[in-house]
Amino acid sequence: MHYLTFDISEGAEGITTLEAMASTSAEHHAAVLAEAQQVLDWAWQRFPHTHGPVDDGMDWDHDLQVHVEDGAWHVVTLTLAGSPRFVEEFLATFGALQDE
């Protein structure tokens, strides 16, 4: 990942939140969206049938937000909630993250 910076936080009942954010000029916006799509494509391929509320027993869920601030900065936020096995495979694929 060149643009998205992930933070990891562990919550109750074994649910971990992985949150990434990038704020760039319009010139780099497509590259940021491509990184977010890379993560989501990986998740859909590895866990195709277990997307949904993690507290209901699913392996992963996500929220993707895109905003334009002051007409210049494009902010992309990707939040993933994951089960222990999802997070383990995520870290094996994408590497170590920045802890809280």
Side-chain angles (χ1 to χ4, degrees), residues 2-63:
H2 296 287
Y3 295 97
L4 294 176
T5 302
F6 282 88
D7 290 314
I8 186 170
S9 60
E10 294 184 29
E13 301 175 25
I15 298 172
T16 299
T17 301
L18 306 162
E19 186 170 37
M21 185 180 112
S23 180
T24 63
S25 65
E27 172 185 359
H28 298 287
H29 185 62
V32 175
L33 289 178
E35 285 187 1
Q37 191 61 55
Q38 177 186 0
V39 171
L40 292 173
D41 287 349
W42 170 85
W44 282 113
Q45 290 171 359
R46 286 295 302 131
F47 300 89
H49 304 294
T50 56
H51 176 264
V54 180
D55 53 357
D56 288 346
M58 301 305 250
D59 279 311
W60 71 287
D61 205 354
H62 79 284
D63 181 46

Side-chain angles (χ1 to χ4, degrees), residues 34-93:
E35 285 187 1
Q37 191 61 55
Q38 177 186 0
V39 171
L40 292 173
D41 287 349
W42 170 85
W44 282 113
Q45 290 171 359
R46 286 295 302 131
F47 300 89
H49 304 294
T50 56
H51 176 264
V54 180
D55 53 357
D56 288 346
M58 301 305 250
D59 279 311
W60 71 287
D61 205 354
H62 79 284
D63 181 46
L64 178 64
Q65 300 286 322
V66 179
H67 301 280
V68 178
E69 295 179 351
D70 297 328
W73 289 100
H74 294 243
V75 179
V76 175
T77 305
L78 175 61
T79 304
L80 301 167
S83 67
R85 76 183 193 124
F86 177 88
V87 174
E88 182 179 329
E89 288 194 37
F90 181 93
L91 293 175
T93 301

